[in-house]
Amino acid sequence: GTEIFFLGLDGMLMTAPVTSGPSFDAGLPAPLFRVRVPGGPGAPAKSDYAATADGQRFVVNMVNEDSVTSSYVVVLNWPAALRK
């Protein structure tokens, strides 16, 4: 392709033009939009975002701040509780 996408340390999804040939050269980066990925911008995973082949659309695994975290209850020795 002719551009790369990467997550900046400020949480911005960025793009930069690239040229390849005998050597790799990247141009000046430009911000696209802000994202909030799990783990924060300092530790993005490969699966935090993906671009379509034409670079016009993105799928981003974002943190939903409105969601309520769930808790789990583990019951040990539950057959004994049934006998009571």
Side-chain angles (χ1 to χ4, degrees):
T2 59
E3 64 184 327
I4 58 171
F5 302 104
F6 60 96
L7 188 59
L9 292 176
D10 61 353
M12 293 294 288
L13 189 61
M14 308 286 286
T15 183
V18 296
T19 56
S20 60
S23 65
F24 175 83
D25 185 38
L28 291 175
L32 294 174
F33 51 89
R34 185 170 305 283
V35 297
R36 289 190 43 108
V37 296
K46 279 186 167 182
S47 61
D48 282 341
Y49 63 92
T52 56
D54 63 2
Q56 297 300 304
R57 291 178 294 282
F58 296 85
V59 175
V60 181
N61 180 19
M62 292 183 62
V63 174
N64 183 357
E65 293 182 20
D66 295 335
S67 68
V68 177
T69 57
S70 300
S71 61
Y72 297 94
V73 176
V74 177
V75 179
L76 302 176
N77 199 18
W78 61 268
L82 292 178
R83 288 184 233 136
K84 290 184 181 181

